[in-house]
Amino acid sequence: MSDSGSPRVTRLLPDAVHQEVKPGTAVVRLQTTHDRRGVLDGAWWPCSRDVTAELPALISALTEYLGPLTRVGLDAGAWDALPTRLRVDDRVIHIDSFPVGDDTILITRGDQDYFSLLVIPPHATPEAARTAMADAVRADNITRAEQILIDTGTDRVAPKT
């Protein structure tokens, strides 16, 4: 029997966006509104540019609230190496990569339901990351990802030491 006639249940994200961060979990914030008027749906702060190490925790965290995810779109220039697919929690996630330079990640649920997250560079200071995440999740945010990073003093490239 097919479930195609069943109405889709929309799950809102939890209002408690400040939770203790445990090792191996994704640092992510998402907006919790019924409509999606803002430019971004949330923000993600990975610890490194190794997508195979970082993406599974994000996918697991998002799946808990959004249901099964099917695709991830990434900026090819922001990561060390990109596979075309990745197995996460016994599901295959397809990875699309483009040299767009837009400081975002697109997460796809189902056929066309997608979420755009600001990607905060791993080298960002905690203060800059918190500020950028807070700006990205504001329901009335109309500022693009690149400008949020500029405004918070976080360059895309790590400073030379």
Side-chain angles (χ1 to χ4, degrees):
M1 182 176 242
S2 172
D3 290 337
S4 61
S6 317
R8 181 191 289 188
V9 176
T10 301
R11 296 177 64 189
L12 291 178
L13 299 163
D15 288 323
V17 294
H18 297 289
Q19 297 177 1
E20 180 180 342
V21 177
K22 299 177 179 116
T25 59
V27 178
V28 64
R29 287 187 68 180
L30 298 157
Q31 71 182 37
T32 58
T33 60
H34 289 278
D35 60 25
R36 294 169 66 191
R37 293 174 297 173
V39 172
L40 298 163
D41 299 302
W44 175 42
W45 187 21
C47 295
S48 73
R49 295 201 181 277
D50 179 356
V51 76
T52 60
E54 300 295 333
L55 200 54
L58 175 67
I59 296 298
S60 294
L62 292 177
T63 298
E64 182 179 340
Y65 297 107
L66 301 176
L69 305 174
T70 56
R71 284 196 172 296
V72 172
L74 297 166
D75 179 4
W79 300 95
D80 292 338
L82 290 171
T84 57
R85 63 183 59 88
L86 191 63
R87 183 171 290 279
V88 179
D89 299 330
D90 293 327
R91 293 187 57 91
V92 174
I93 305 297
H94 297 276
I95 298 175
D96 299 319
S97 62
F98 305 97
V100 291
D102 66 355
D103 304 301
T104 62
I105 180 173
L106 293 178
I107 305 293
T108 306
R109 171 180 68 182
D111 292 333
Q112 296 179 329
D113 192 13
Y114 69 91
F115 300 85
S116 179
L117 308 179
L118 164 68
V119 178
I120 298 167
H123 66 270
T125 66
E127 181 181 326
R130 277 192 299 274
T131 302
M133 291 178 115
D135 289 349
V137 299
R138 282 190 3 250
D140 64 344
N141 173 44
I142 58 168
T143 307
R144 300 190 88 41
E146 179 182 27
Q147 190 62 49
I148 290 174
L149 294 180
I150 291 168
D151 292 348
T152 58
T154 304
D155 291 325
R156 176 184 294 200
V157 180
K160 295 182 181 183
T161 56

